[in-house]
Amino acid sequence: MARLLIIYHSRTGGSEQMAEAAFETARGETETSLKRADETGPEDIIEADGYLFCAPENLAAISGVMKDFFDRCYYPVLGRIDGRAYAQMVCAGSDGENASRQIARISQGWRLRPVQEPLILCTHAQTPEDILAPKQIPETELDRCRDVGQTLAAGLAMGMF
């Protein structure tokens, strides 16, 4: 059975809600694991057949914890996961485009293959209070995350990716 690994980082809960929503539907399609970026190591990456990266946007980039995950795992997985499928989701305060591009560039360096368009959900948090406040992602937006998880998992299960 194909294995999907969902890796996320979240400080205020937005990305975590997104990742959990994707996990909810993905596990109905194939074997799926949900792990925090700081708890994910190269062995987790090597054991999976596909990946869903979910990160918050911080200052127009992915969070430092998510970047650290990519940096820590790069050399141990290099050449061992070439061509595997990935998708990404970004919880943004403004537009999320730079964070999404950063994940895409890193994934290209890992030699992964994008199989879905990035999903960027914008919270429009622009004041210090709003940025630091716990996030509550609307159910309609979480449905979009569920679709990403289900589609990626089903594609892996059917051998499409």
Side-chain angles (χ1 to χ4, degrees), residues 87-140:
Q88 61 163 302
M89 302 187 300
V90 173
C91 185
S94 54
D95 70 5
E97 292 294 328
N98 244 12
S100 175
R101 276 193 293 276
Q102 188 178 17
I103 292 171
R105 295 273 312 208
I106 290 168
S107 297
Q108 182 180 14
W110 277 30
R111 291 150 182 86
L112 299 176
R113 183 169 46 105
V115 296
Q116 291 179 275
E117 290 296 315
L119 174 62
I120 300 171
L121 298 185
C122 189
T123 65
H124 304 286
Q126 295 298 302
T127 66
E129 296 78 23
D130 288 344
I131 291 167
L132 295 172
K135 304 299 180 282
Q136 206 47 253
I137 306 298
E139 209 47 48
T140 55

Side-chain angles (χ1 to χ4, degrees), residues 6-161:
I6 300 172
I7 304 122
Y8 75 96
H9 175 252
S10 190
R11 229 181 268 280
T12 60
S15 297
E16 183 173 14
Q17 292 168 59
M18 293 170 66
E20 287 175 348
F23 176 70
E24 189 181 300
T25 55
R27 67 184 178 181
E29 300 292 336
T30 196
E31 183 180 329
T32 305
S33 300
L34 176 67
K35 295 197 77 162
R36 296 184 58 83
D38 58 351
E39 298 171 353
T40 304
E43 63 283 348
D44 299 306
I45 302 298
I46 292 165
E47 291 173 3
D49 300 300
Y51 317 97
L52 175 54
F53 304 117
C54 184
E57 171 196 53
N58 293 134
L59 300 170
I62 59 174
S63 65
V65 172
M66 197 71 179
K67 178 67 167 70
D68 175 72
F69 151 74
F70 283 118
D71 290 345
R72 279 186 298 103
C73 295
Y74 177 67
Y75 288 113
V77 305
L78 189 61
R80 300 175 73 183
I81 60 170
D82 293 7
R84 292 187 190 173
Y86 86 94
Q88 61 163 302
M89 302 187 300
V90 173
C91 185
S94 54
D95 70 5
E97 292 294 328
N98 244 12
S100 175
R101 276 193 293 276
Q102 188 178 17
I103 292 171
R105 295 273 312 208
I106 290 168
S107 297
Q108 182 180 14
W110 277 30
R111 291 150 182 86
L112 299 176
R113 183 169 46 105
V115 296
Q116 291 179 275
E117 290 296 315
L119 174 62
I120 300 171
L121 298 185
C122 189
T123 65
H124 304 286
Q126 295 298 302
T127 66
E129 296 78 23
D130 288 344
I131 291 167
L132 295 172
K135 304 299 180 282
Q136 206 47 253
I137 306 298
E139 209 47 48
T140 55
E141 297 296 310
L142 292 176
D143 284 342
R144 297 174 63 200
C145 300
R146 290 180 187 103
D147 289 345
V148 170
Q150 185 173 31
T151 303
L152 180 56
L156 286 170
M158 291 188 281
M160 293 174 56
F161 311 132

